[in-house]
């Protein structure tokens, strides 16, 4: 018997998006995501929210919960410094103040991060683990549509301005080998679409990628939490019995033709 972990509902592919800074262009970007059923993560600087005189302006605190409903809100530090150049006490204050502020606005527990200016090092990664950050996105692209091997150094597939964005999208959409779990992860800044006058790039991408039955559309933290839950499954020695100690369901594929849902707190005969 062959047992494979799947994404929810037996899917083998997932798509996630990650956009930084929370600037006013997120209004248009979120509307595009929502229209096509795309879900993503928005990395905000609490210390810049409601600050006057910024160009372009940031999303107001009073608008955050409504705008980002159905999407993840994550940290991006309090004031967007290049943190690898900062004392570690300053780095700790930047991430904790951002977490606390965003949690106060949203009523959520904020556990994700994108490194501002792509700046990080091993010491910062260890600090963030200690301070409750479950994952952190870097800017260097991954070589394949792979899940992160180190969640605190999560490499995306590409920036939305990558010249081969649609080539990657087409390969991913047509990929049929379900023995692999594949993830496409696109990142950027929404204001770049205004700067480059190329909103068609993200509109075309979302129109092409949205609405597919074999893709799980997820936020960054949902992927991290799901894969953590999958790793905590407990199997009998012959893999014919599985116990799920988690609160959430995990899906398994059995012998390539049967998909089962292992609900949280249950033990199943396979």
């Amino acid at each position: 018997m062959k047992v494979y972990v799947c994404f929810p509902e037996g899917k083998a592919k997932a798509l996630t998006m990650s956009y930084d800074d929370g600037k006013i262009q997120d209004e248009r970007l979120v509307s595009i995501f929502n229209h096509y059923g795309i879900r993503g993560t928005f990395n905000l600087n609490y210390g810049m929210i409601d600050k006057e005189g910024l160009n372009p302006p940031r999303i107001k605190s009073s608008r955050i919960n409504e705008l980002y409903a159905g999407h993840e809100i994550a940290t991006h530090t309090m004031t967007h410094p290049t943190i690898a150049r900062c004392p570690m006490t300053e780095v700790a204050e930047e991430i904790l103040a951002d977490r606390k502020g965003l949690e106060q606005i949203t009523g959520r527990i904020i556990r994700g991060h994108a490194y501002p200016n792509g700046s990080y090092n091993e010491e910062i990664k260890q600090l963030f683990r200690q301070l409750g950050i479950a994952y952190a996105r870097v800017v260097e692209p991954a070589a394949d549509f792979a899940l992160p091997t180190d969640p605190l150094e999560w490499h995306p597939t590409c920036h939305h301005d990558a010249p081969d964005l649609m080539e990657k999208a087409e390969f991913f959409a047509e990929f049929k080998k379900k023995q692999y779990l594949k993830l496409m992860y696109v990142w950027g800044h929404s204001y770049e679409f205004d700067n480059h006058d190329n909103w068609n790039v993200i509109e075309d991408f979302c129109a092409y990628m949205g609405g597919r039955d074999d893709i799980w559309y997820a936020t960054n933290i949902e992927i991290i939490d799901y894969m953590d839950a999958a790793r905590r499954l407990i199997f009998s020695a012959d893999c014919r019995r599985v116990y799920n100690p988690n609160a959430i369901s995990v899906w398994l594929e059995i012998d390539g033709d049967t998909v089962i849902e292992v609900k949280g707190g249950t033990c199943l005969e396979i």
Side-chain angles (χ1 to χ4, degrees), residues 63 88 101 105 109 137 176 194 240:
R63 177 72 178 126
M88 292 302 290
I105 290 174
I109 297 175
R137 194 209 75 227
K176 303 301 183 186
D194 273 357
R240 295 188 177 275

Side-chain angles (χ1 to χ4, degrees), residues 21-75:
D21 298 350
K23 297 193 178 181
I24 197 67
Q25 290 86 353
D26 279 5
E27 292 275 3
R28 183 172 176 180
L29 181 61
V30 171
S31 71
I32 293 171
F33 284 178
N34 291 345
H35 180 74
Y36 293 106
I38 307 296
R39 300 180 65 229
T41 295
F42 291 85
N43 307 291
L44 309 182
N45 309 102
Y46 177 71
M48 312 294 280
I49 296 169
D50 295 333
K51 188 173 182 180
E52 298 296 330
L54 297 178
N55 185 25
R58 309 272 175 139
I59 300 296
K60 295 292 187 183
S61 58
S62 59
R63 177 72 178 126
I64 283 174
N65 280 326
E66 181 179 1
L67 175 63
Y68 298 118
H71 302 277
E72 181 190 1
I73 294 171
T75 62

Side-chain angles (χ1 to χ4, degrees), residues 229 232-234 242-250 261-268:
R232 285 193 292 268
L233 291 179
I234 300 169
V242 58
Y243 170 60
N244 182 358
N246 305 284
I248 65 172
S249 293
V250 177
E261 178 186 1
V262 187
K263 295 183 178 180
T266 64
C267 185
L268 292 182

Side-chain angles (χ1 to χ4, degrees), residues 83-246:
I83 54 177
R85 297 184 60 191
C86 299
M88 292 302 290
T89 50
E90 181 181 343
V91 177
E93 175 64 21
E94 282 281 341
I95 196 65
L96 281 176
D98 199 25
R99 277 196 71 196
K100 290 177 181 179
L102 294 176
E103 289 175 348
Q104 183 178 19
I105 290 174
T106 65
R108 308 182 189 186
I109 297 175
I110 306 295
R111 300 163 51 226
H113 183 70
Y115 294 113
N117 301 320
S119 175
Y120 69 100
N121 55 36
E122 287 298 320
E123 191 175 13
I124 289 170
K125 288 166 55 179
Q126 294 303 321
L127 173 66
F128 280 14
R129 286 190 178 96
Q130 299 294 324
L131 298 180
I133 299 300
Y135 74 83
R137 194 209 75 227
V138 302
V139 299
E140 299 87 0
D144 196 5
F145 299 95
L147 290 162
T149 55
D150 179 355
L152 271 293
E153 192 175 325
W154 192 350
H155 293 264
T157 306
C158 62
H159 187 278
H160 65 242
D161 275 343
D164 60 347
L165 173 67
M166 290 307 298
E167 180 181 332
K168 290 180 182 296
E170 290 165 9
F171 177 87
F172 181 79
E174 295 303 317
F175 192 82
K176 303 301 183 186
K177 295 182 179 180
K178 294 189 69 176
Q179 64 264 44
Y180 303 97
L181 286 181
K182 292 293 187 181
L183 169 68
M184 185 162 190
Y185 185 147
V186 178
W187 79 281
H189 306 85
S190 60
Y191 64 81
E192 293 169 324
F193 297 116
D194 273 357
N195 290 353
H196 302 157
D197 192 24
N198 66 346
W199 280 97
N200 62 293
V201 168
I202 198 65
E203 183 88 41
D204 292 346
F205 175 83
C206 291
Y208 180 77
M209 292 295 289
R212 295 178 178 269
D213 293 339
D214 62 343
I215 295 177
W216 177 34
Y217 302 97
T219 66
N220 289 191
I221 195 64
E222 286 173 339
I223 293 166
I224 291 296
D225 284 346
Y226 184 84
M227 296 311 298
D228 282 348
R231 280 187 284 270
R232 285 193 292 268
L233 291 179
I234 300 169
F235 290 88
S236 61
D238 61 3
C239 288
R240 295 188 177 275
R241 188 178 298 110
V242 58
Y243 170 60
N244 182 358
N246 305 284

